Amino acid sequence: MKTLVVYFSRRGENWAVGNIKEGNAEHIAKVIQKLTGADIFEIEPIKEYSKDYMKCTEEAMAELKSQARPVFKNKLSSIDEYDTIYLCYPNWWGSYPRIVASFLDSYNFDNKTIKPMCTHEGSGMGSSERELKNTLKNSNILSGLSIKGTNAHTSDDQIERWINS
């Protein structure tokens, strides 16, 4: 079986980091892909989130309150060939973004091992691990890795230790 790295990340204005061309979760996903040799897949929204940080947080809160399922552009034909999936995302309002929920709703994760990783600025994994366990009841959700967004681009050693643990 194979390994897949799935990520959603936002470019633009980020808290405490400024404007970035490569999102924090994107950077970490690419490090994981390089270290593991896994396939990689980016969840890309059809309707882009605002590049303005404050506006994006408002959009994220509205999606969370309504339990929205934003549509994403690209699709995988199947995840059947993968037994391990690294799931990388920013912590938005204590959980994974609703676009990630859309991705999770689109595939069968039964009997898959999920390794969650999130970026944040103080709230760690939030409730995302618990929510993943509730959503993907027939999956093996391992202990996640949380990295402050301000440290994302200098965290390669921490990522490697997590992968190898």
Side-chain angles (χ1 to χ4, degrees), residues 137-155:
K137 293 182 188 319
N138 297 318
S139 300
N140 180 24
I141 312 297
L142 299 184
S143 197
L145 172 67
S146 65
I147 295 177
K148 284 188 81 170
T150 51
N151 300 330
H153 293 265
T154 59
S155 62

Side-chain angles (χ1 to χ4, degrees), residues 5-8 25 28-29 32 86-90 100 115 117-118:
V5 178
V6 174
Y7 73 95
F8 167 72
I28 293 168
I32 294 169
Y86 289 90
L87 182 63
C88 306
Y89 51 87
V100 174
K115 296 182 176 184
M117 187 296 313
C118 81

Side-chain angles (χ1 to χ4, degrees), residues 27-91:
H27 174 80
I28 293 168
K30 288 178 179 177
V31 170
I32 294 169
Q33 190 275 328
K34 180 180 174 187
L35 291 170
T36 63
D39 293 342
I40 194 164
F41 177 81
E42 179 182 7
I43 303 168
E44 295 180 79
I46 287 179
K47 180 181 181 258
E48 293 291 326
Y49 291 95
S50 176
K51 297 219 181 288
D52 175 88
Y53 178 79
M54 293 308 292
K55 286 182 185 173
C56 182
T57 64
E58 293 167 6
E59 293 167 354
M61 177 55 81
E63 285 184 355
L64 184 62
K65 284 182 177 179
S66 69
Q67 290 299 300
R69 292 298 189 265
V71 180
F72 56 99
K73 292 179 187 178
N74 43 354
K75 304 274 194 249
L76 291 165
S77 58
S78 169
I79 61 165
D80 291 348
E81 65 187 295
Y82 302 103
D83 60 346
T84 301
I85 299 169
Y86 289 90
L87 182 63
C88 306
Y89 51 87
N91 179 328

